[in-house]
Amino acid sequence: MIMKEADRLQSLMDRMLTPHRLPQAAPLNIHEVLERVRSLIIAEFPRGIAIQRDYDVSLPPVKGDKEQLIQAVLNVARNAAQAIMGKGGKPHRGRRGELGLRTRVVRQVTLARRRYRHVIAVEISDNGPGIPEELRERVFHPLVSGRDGGSGLGLTLAQTFVNQHHGIISFDSAPGSTCFTILLPAEETVNGKQ
């Protein structure tokens, strides 16, 4: 797993450092992305967090860059896991930490001024302390972090990658519940053809 992750990150960095490089888009199953993120979170946080999955297995593929989408979802999920575990390495308020990964299809959505018949919704939720009120308007800005030692680049990078895929990322947060939602256009097929 470490070797695969190192190779993926190296490939991602190579593409990020190439000026004006757009995502390497190909049809992919979003659940492959989520399962990769799940395995990385389990490896990084082996105790104290239960990961709940609620996948709609009938989803159409998305057209996207697998490494970028893994990194976007991983950044959000890692932030959630770190919020759950808190400073002392124990779940918030002594409760069992829960991270949720959920997928659904949403119909008739406008993204980046274009109307899509089907959009994939990926929800990453947690039962941590929530995002502080003073950070909510700036949470996607660079160098804004709600934890000591945080770089403030994870959510900025996640938003950039999602936007490059013509999607959007948003969140709702209250004490004890935060949910980030990523909306991505689905691959459209007409009579079996794309």
Side-chain angles (χ1 to χ4, degrees):
M1 182 183 285
I2 292 171
M3 294 300 292
K4 286 170 81 175
E5 186 63 6
D7 290 345
R8 184 187 70 78
L9 289 172
Q10 181 62 51
S11 172
L12 182 64
M13 288 302 296
D14 289 345
R15 283 184 288 133
M16 283 177 56
L17 295 174
T18 304
H20 305 83
R21 186 85 186 258
L22 293 176
Q24 299 294 313
L28 64 97
N29 183 330
I30 197 67
H31 299 123
E32 292 175 16
V33 170
L34 295 176
E35 284 301 296
R36 179 68 175 275
V37 168
R38 180 179 162 271
S39 67
L40 292 169
I41 294 295
I42 289 170
E44 190 172 342
F45 301 91
R47 298 172 204 252
I49 297 178
I51 300 177
Q52 308 296 326
R53 295 176 286 177
D54 181 6
Y55 296 161
D56 179 350
V57 295
S58 69
L59 293 181
V62 297
K63 189 170 185 175
D65 184 308
K66 190 173 184 177
E67 282 79 23
Q68 285 188 0
L69 290 176
I70 288 171
Q71 194 63 51
V73 175
L74 179 61
N75 289 355
V76 174
R78 183 177 284 141
N79 278 4
Q82 290 168 344
I84 290 169
M85 296 309 288
K87 293 179 183 176
K90 294 183 181 173
H92 177 65
R93 295 184 183 172
R95 296 187 303 188
R96 179 177 176 207
E98 292 184 6
L99 179 70
L101 300 174
R102 183 176 187 258
T103 60
R104 291 294 183 265
V105 68
V106 183
R107 290 171 176 69
Q108 302 301 329
V109 176
T110 301
L111 300 174
R113 294 182 286 187
R114 182 174 170 202
R115 188 82 169 164
Y116 292 93
R117 287 189 314 154
H118 298 105
V119 171
I120 306 301
V122 176
E123 295 177 359
I124 302 120
S125 60
D126 69 75
N127 66 343
I131 297 171
E133 190 67 42
E134 64 272 10
L135 293 181
R136 291 184 187 181
E137 288 187 25
R138 303 177 299 129
V139 76
F140 293 111
H141 293 187
L143 307 177
V144 172
S145 178
R147 68 180 172 83
D148 294 336
S151 68
L153 295 175
L155 292 179
T156 302
L157 194 57
Q159 184 182 50
T160 299
F161 288 158
V162 169
N163 289 344
Q164 286 178 350
H165 285 82
H166 308 289
I168 59 171
I169 181 170
S170 61
F171 70 93
D172 287 314
S173 184
S177 175
T178 298
C179 181
F180 278 80
T181 303
I182 298 171
L183 298 178
L184 297 167
E187 274 282 280
E188 299 291 338
T189 58
V190 178
N191 297 330
K193 296 181 181 178
Q194 292 185 353

